[in-house]
Amino acid sequence: IAGRVVRIGDPNNARIRADGRTHGVEVMAIVLGWRSDQFGTGGQRSQRIDGESMLGEHRPSVELNGHVVMDPNAGGRVQASLSGALEAGPDGLPSAGQRVRQGQLLAYLRPSLSAGERASQQAELAELHIKAAQAARQLARLESLRETVAARDIDAQRAEAASLRQRAAALAAAGGRLALRAPASGVLSQANALNGQQVEAGALLFEVVDPQKLRVEALAHDPAMAQQLGRASLPGSATPWQLVGSATAFRDGALPLLFAPQGRQDVPLALGQSVKLRVAYGAPVSGVALPAASVQRNSANQPVVWLHDSAELFRPWPVQIAPLNGQDVLVRDLPAGRRVVSAGAALLNQIR
């Protein structure tokens, strides 16, 4: 396999001769080439030159619609457990986009109580305090008579005094404010909290996600497809995505499929973003994997590639194509021993 850089004609200044050669060259194009002895019958391995796969067996792909979802193990939501008013912590209320740590204080929630509920709670708390004081005094008397009182009576009185103190502390805490903390480390994708805001039970206040551990939920209409899917990719991204699970029940007429990235994401994604996922599907097909920019459309709207016959001589060649991933396409019907323009083909295609 050989590759080299050639010059192609500038479509604005080029002069086309009768033999098809162009002049006034300015624009650079990368040309890939392969020898005719590399074309054989099935079972050949994919060959690469400068990172681009050449002749070999490749699986075609299918495009699935999907959207970005949260990894349940790398994020979480903070909701109000009961109705109440929000209060800021010592560092104030966090905003969307702010990075937080697991267990970090986000806000306080003070429960809302009616006048009757608050009066009843205060009366019960006062009664518990009185009972706890009486139990403490009784325990002190029994301990002073330790020589004449059974040990089990002293232990029972000590347990009762401790129980009353704990009940009073729990009732007092129920009327105080509750601390709302981050369930995981990450970035706040939502922050719906204002100081003094009244919220209902179950209201979503904060949402924490890890931008590097987002997933894509795609939709398939054929249940058998999930058993034949391979790796996936997003347009413009080199990060492979792997199928991690598929639902067994249809939702809105489609079967949800969940994909996770295999490595660090090189394309920024946002929660809820709609994406197009290109997934390997079907039996391998023999052909040449070329960058999608190598394939152009002629005046008859047929897919063509530009063959580099000799210096400054290029010729369009009709081909059959099939999508491979977000960056490459599978090209068939290429003649053996020829070179194909892999960059700058769009400029060549403008020359008529």
Side-chain angles (χ1 to χ4, degrees):
I1 300 176
R4 66 190 184 91
V5 177
V6 300
R7 297 180 181 273
I8 63 176
D10 185 343
N12 297 321
N13 302 317
R15 291 180 287 108
I16 305 177
R17 301 194 325 201
D19 59 1
R21 298 179 182 272
T22 61
H23 299 273
V25 294
E26 293 296 341
V27 183
M28 304 301 292
I30 301 173
V31 179
L32 300 179
W34 56 90
R35 301 188 303 272
S36 59
D37 58 2
Q38 293 172 324
F39 283 77
T41 57
Q44 299 166 339
R45 295 182 305 169
S46 296
Q47 304 183 24
R48 302 181 67 85
I49 176 172
D50 296 334
E52 295 171 349
S53 299
M54 299 301 290
L55 181 66
E57 297 287 334
H58 303 275
R59 292 185 67 183
S61 64
V62 63
E63 188 177 70
L64 300 179
N65 295 321
H67 63 280
V68 180
V69 297
M70 181 194 307
D71 185 343
N73 299 314
R77 293 175 175 175
V78 179
Q79 295 177 268
S81 58
L82 41 81
S83 301
L86 295 178
E87 296 180 3
D91 299 328
L93 293 173
S95 57
Q98 181 176 332
R99 184 168 291 277
V100 296
R101 304 180 311 276
Q102 184 175 10
Q104 178 179 336
L105 178 65
L106 302 179
Y108 287 109
L109 176 64
R110 185 175 296 279
S112 297
L113 298 176
S114 64
E117 291 173 337
R118 189 174 299 277
S120 176
Q121 184 184 53
Q122 291 176 350
E124 185 177 357
L125 184 59
E127 183 180 357
L128 287 174
H129 282 313
I130 294 174
K131 289 182 178 180
Q134 292 175 346
R137 288 193 296 270
Q138 181 66 19
L139 176 61
R141 284 195 298 268
L142 292 178
E143 288 180 340
S144 64
L145 302 174
R146 183 180 298 273
E147 296 180 356
T148 59
V149 178
R152 63 175 179 273
D153 294 337
I154 298 176
D155 293 340
Q157 187 62 34
R158 182 181 294 108
E160 181 181 357
S163 174
L164 290 171
R165 289 196 302 270
Q166 292 175 0
R167 289 174 56 189
L171 186 59
R177 58 185 186 179
L178 306 178
L180 303 178
R181 301 185 181 274
S185 298
V187 177
L188 290 177
S189 62
Q190 292 190 50
N192 306 317
L194 295 175
N195 200 9
Q197 177 183 355
Q198 292 287 336
V199 296
E200 297 293 332
L204 177 61
L205 303 178
F206 302 98
E207 187 174 57
V208 183
V209 300
D210 188 341
Q212 290 300 323
K213 295 183 179 180
L214 294 174
R215 297 184 175 186
V216 171
E217 183 183 274
L219 300 177
H221 298 277
D222 184 4
M225 178 180 290
Q227 308 301 324
Q228 306 176 35
L229 294 179
R231 287 198 171 188
S233 62
L234 292 174
S237 171
T239 303
W241 292 69
Q242 188 70 33
L243 178 67
V244 296
S246 61
T248 56
F250 275 83
R251 187 177 66 194
D252 297 331
L255 195 67
L257 307 174
L258 196 61
F259 292 85
Q262 302 298 299
R264 186 175 181 85
Q265 299 178 25
D266 54 1
V267 174
L269 298 174
L271 202 63
Q273 176 183 349
S274 298
V275 296
K276 298 285 187 180
L277 200 64
R278 180 65 63 176
V279 189
Y281 176 69
V285 179
S286 179
V288 178
L290 292 177
S294 301
V295 181
Q296 302 295 318
R297 295 279 177 174
N298 60 13
S299 57
N301 201 31
Q302 295 176 325
V304 298
V305 296
W306 285 88
L307 302 181
H308 180 219
D309 288 342
S310 62
E312 300 182 3
L313 180 59
F314 301 89
R315 180 159 53 96
W317 187 270
V319 292
Q320 295 182 7
I321 62 174
L324 281 181
N325 49 49
Q327 297 175 328
D328 301 327
V329 293
L330 180 66
V331 179
R332 290 175 286 179
D333 298 337
L334 276 176
R338 309 302 290 273
R339 294 187 177 129
V340 178
V341 178
S342 64
L347 297 175
L348 282 172
N349 204 50
Q350 297 177 24
I351 302 175
R352 295 290 185 265

